Amino acid sequence: MSHTELPLPSVASTPFNKRNADIILRSSDLVDFLVYKVILALVSPVFEDMFEIPQPPSSAAAQDIHPESGLPIIFLTEHSATLDRLLRLCYPAENPVLSSVADVGEVLGAAQKYQMNAVAAQLSKLLLGFSEVATYATYAVACKYGLEDAARAAAVAYWRRNKGGKLKRNREQITYAPEMDSITAGALFRLLRFRFEATQEGEFEFYPAARPATAVVPSPPLTSHPFDKPSSKSDLLVQSSDGVHFHVIGLLLALSSPVFAELIFQTPLPPPVLV
């Protein structure tokens, strides 16, 4: 009986293929980046904290250690193209070519995820350069990642090309950009309102006007009987979104719901993935 063999990981190009590296980052498409902990720790507190947590050798699963080099492997969710560009911005090497808003957005998302603030700042400035040539994509990416300067630059570029507002309503229609799928209706509404109603550039609002302060949320109510106290049969504690605890019998939940059954009797976890 034939079976499909799993693809083997490949090694990234230089400078991420050095044999004296001390850790491996594996991308979602199975490309291994051989890197140095000290560089990652300097640019990312996420990686710094990760490296400081002691890991006993006996706790490492076989799939977490490279069989030839013996280096630990960290599984990441980013594609190798994104990871390559991100790491080149961290290393003392030539900067990668980012020729589109999509390229910038992918790397920017990873930089913010790993709290690489210096890299994110560099990418934010690069995004500004697309505000005239890729206005809608730039606006969308800027809104997605909370970059007010880039969002404002794109909105102003759109407004300038359509001065006159209501009198020139049909002058330029917004064309679809895939990046716009990631923004909220509110962000699009603020762009359109600025386009049709603003009389000067300074009227653009990146966020909606501040709302009145809300009252202090009271403590969550106590759970009612029979879920308020642990019993000889209850073996599971369920917490609701508002912080209420329910003492329940896990088997009853599992028998009543396949979703709970999967949560309670879940299979062994897969290799660790940073999300």
Side-chain angles (χ1 to χ4, degrees), residues 51 74 226 242:
F51 298 150
I74 298 179
D242 55 346

Side-chain angles (χ1 to χ4, degrees), residues 131 135-136 153-163 172-174 191-192 194-196:
S131 60
T135 300
Y136 313 123
V156 168
Y158 179 47
W159 180 82
R160 286 175 178 172
R161 294 198 299 266
N162 296 274
K163 285 183 178 179
E172 178 182 332
Q173 300 294 330
I174 290 184
L191 176 65
L192 294 176
F194 177 64
R195 151 70 174 91
F196 291 119

Side-chain angles (χ1 to χ4, degrees), residues 242-253:
D242 55 346
V244 179
H245 290 173
F246 295 81
H247 296 271
V248 298
I249 301 173
L251 180 60
L252 289 180
L253 287 182

Side-chain angles (χ1 to χ4, degrees), residues 64-109:
D64 300 340
I65 301 296
H66 194 275
E68 297 178 2
S69 66
L71 294 179
I73 303 172
I74 298 179
F75 297 82
L76 304 183
T77 58
E78 285 75 26
H79 189 274
S80 59
T82 300
L83 196 54
D84 182 272
R85 291 163 176 162
L86 177 69
L87 291 173
R88 289 184 188 279
L89 290 169
C90 300
Y91 265 58
E94 184 176 354
N95 284 345
V97 176
L98 299 171
S99 56
S100 69
V101 173
D103 290 343
V104 176
E106 289 291 335
V107 184
L108 179 60

Side-chain angles (χ1 to χ4, degrees), residues 139 148 151-152 155 190-191 194 200-206:
Y139 179 78
E148 181 172 359
R152 184 178 302 278
R190 288 188 287 276
L191 176 65
F194 177 64
Q200 55 185 353
E201 297 178 3
E203 295 179 23
F204 173 73
E205 292 181 339
F206 182 59

Side-chain angles (χ1 to χ4, degrees), residues 34-72:
L34 282 65
V35 294
Y36 302 98
K37 291 182 179 180
V38 63
I39 294 179
L40 294 180
L42 286 173
V43 298
S44 168
V46 174
F47 283 110
E48 182 181 22
D49 291 343
M50 186 187 308
F51 298 150
E52 288 180 351
I53 299 176
Q55 299 291 334
S58 59
S59 68
Q63 64 265 31
D64 300 340
I65 301 296
H66 194 275
E68 297 178 2
S69 66
L71 294 179

